[in-house]
Amino acid sequence: MAINIKYRPLKAFLLAVDSGSFTHAANQLGVTQPSFTALIQDLEDVLGLRLFERTTRAISLTSAGRDFHSRVQRPIADLEEAYRSLADLAAVRRGNVALGALPSAALSLLPAAVGELRRAHPALKVRVVEAHNDELLAMLRTNQIEFAVAAQTESAPDLAFTPLGQDCFCAVYPAGHPLGADRKVLHWRDVLRYDLILLSQGSHARQQFDRAVRDETGAPATALRYDVTHMGTAAGMVRQGLGVSVLPRLALPELNLAGLGCTPLGDASARRDIGLLHRRDRTLSPAAQALAAQLKKAMAEIQPRLLSVPAA
């Protein structure tokens, strides 16, 4: 037999037991005493049992009421805790979010975004995975991360993309280098004339460089001298006069570029769209949505510090 017991009469019952008074319990529940009495009566009618002995001065549990109280007290407490937990998640007071990011985005956007989120929601836990673009897409598809700050490099019907902004690659060279001779825009063929310090195979910057060189008709030959993992290493080696590097515009404000010059590349193949990627069949959690909002804010704040993307 199905029994339809609602939460409110159960809560009224527990409050009455705890307070020992319908009047006090009604005040705690925020209802009038007649309404409170009606809730208890409804519960007793559904159960077919009398739960309280009532006099003009006091209430006491019947034997059935004592048995019912012992059985219902813990489940209601668990239900309320579950509700509070979900309410906390919805309000972003607690929870976990796993975010993937390109190294350039991790360097420039994540510290500010995660810092703001931590200050607003101290109990929220953020796990950051820094990886190459292809690795980020694979981790999204296998649910290792909830969303990613990445580049949209190809059509991906299974992934939703929210743009953050356009990025481009920039030539980085020592002060006084011929590449910096009053030129506001450079091209791939300009940097190919010099020894190069490039990010390692697998990085998105390296992929775009390799494709551009492959497609560049009549490009001058170059000797790839150094292949490095970290952008800071590349900048340091350029400062020592070991060659020229090509680095993402987005990362430049956070690198030590003392003694170096930077000029954006104007080729279409040197541009990329940076944004937030997540699976279309998954809805971002409230925690992830809060972090996404902070990432958008961080991107807006860093824009004035970035070199201009050359017109197409």
Side-chain angles (χ1 to χ4, degrees), residues 17-298:
V17 174
D18 290 343
S19 65
S21 164
F22 278 14
T23 301
H24 293 158
N27 290 335
Q28 289 178 269
L29 197 60
V31 298
T32 64
Q33 185 166 341
S35 297
F36 187 90
T37 301
L39 288 172
I40 298 299
Q41 183 64 57
D42 287 344
L43 181 60
E44 290 178 328
D45 290 345
V46 169
L47 295 173
L49 293 168
R50 191 172 180 82
L51 300 174
F52 290 100
E53 298 290 355
R54 297 187 278 274
T55 68
T56 56
R57 294 186 178 182
I59 61 171
S60 60
L61 286 171
T62 63
S63 60
R66 287 192 295 272
D67 183 64
F68 185 66
H69 180 259
S70 67
R71 294 175 183 273
V72 79
Q73 189 175 22
R74 180 58 183 271
I76 294 299
D78 289 345
L79 178 64
E80 291 176 342
E81 173 58 29
Y83 177 83
R84 283 192 295 270
S85 179
L86 289 176
D88 283 347
L89 283 174
V92 203
R93 285 192 290 267
R94 54 184 293 277
N96 299 276
V97 57
L99 166 70
L102 289 169
S104 56
L107 182 64
S108 59
L109 302 181
L110 260 62
V114 175
E116 285 292 329
L117 191 71
R118 179 65 179 272
R119 285 186 283 275
H121 308 289
L124 198 63
K125 296 180 181 178
V126 179
R127 181 171 68 90
V128 176
V129 179
E130 190 175 333
H132 298 319
N133 210 73
D134 290 345
E135 295 170 330
L136 294 174
L137 300 187
M139 285 189 282
L140 278 173
R141 290 179 170 123
T142 54
N143 292 321
Q144 296 178 62
I145 54 176
E146 188 171 356
F147 73 115
V149 186
Q152 188 179 42
T153 58
E154 58 187 26
S155 176
D158 60 325
L159 301 177
F161 180 79
T162 303
L164 285 176
Q166 191 174 64
D167 194 23
C168 71
F169 292 97
C170 301
V172 180
Y173 44 83
H177 193 278
L179 286 176
D182 298 324
R183 301 177 65 178
K184 294 184 178 180
V185 178
L186 293 170
H187 298 277
W188 290 116
R189 60 173 50 250
D190 297 320
V191 301
L192 294 178
R193 302 176 187 278
Y194 303 97
D195 292 336
L196 295 176
I197 303 163
L198 297 178
L199 298 180
S200 60
Q201 294 286 349
S203 69
H204 192 240
R206 183 58 174 272
Q207 289 175 350
Q208 289 201 226
F209 173 84
D210 289 343
R211 282 196 298 267
V213 172
R214 186 178 61 244
D215 298 338
E216 188 79 22
T217 303
T222 183
L224 174 59
R225 284 291 190 89
Y226 302 101
D227 194 358
V228 301
T229 301
H230 300 291
M231 290 175 283
T233 304
M237 295 179 75
V238 172
R239 188 176 295 106
Q240 294 300 317
L242 298 173
V244 171
S245 189
V246 176
L247 299 175
R249 177 187 76 130
L250 188 57
L252 297 184
E254 303 304 324
L255 295 175
N256 177 11
L257 299 179
L260 303 180
C262 306
T263 303
L265 301 179
D267 306 88
S269 58
R271 298 189 189 93
R272 60 181 184 174
D273 292 318
I274 299 293
L276 306 177
L277 280 159
H278 70 90
R279 287 180 53 161
R280 288 189 184 277
D281 61 350
R282 299 284 190 274
T283 300
L284 287 182
S285 66
Q289 292 177 37
L291 180 53
Q294 292 297 341
L295 286 164
K296 293 174 184 177
K297 179 182 176 183

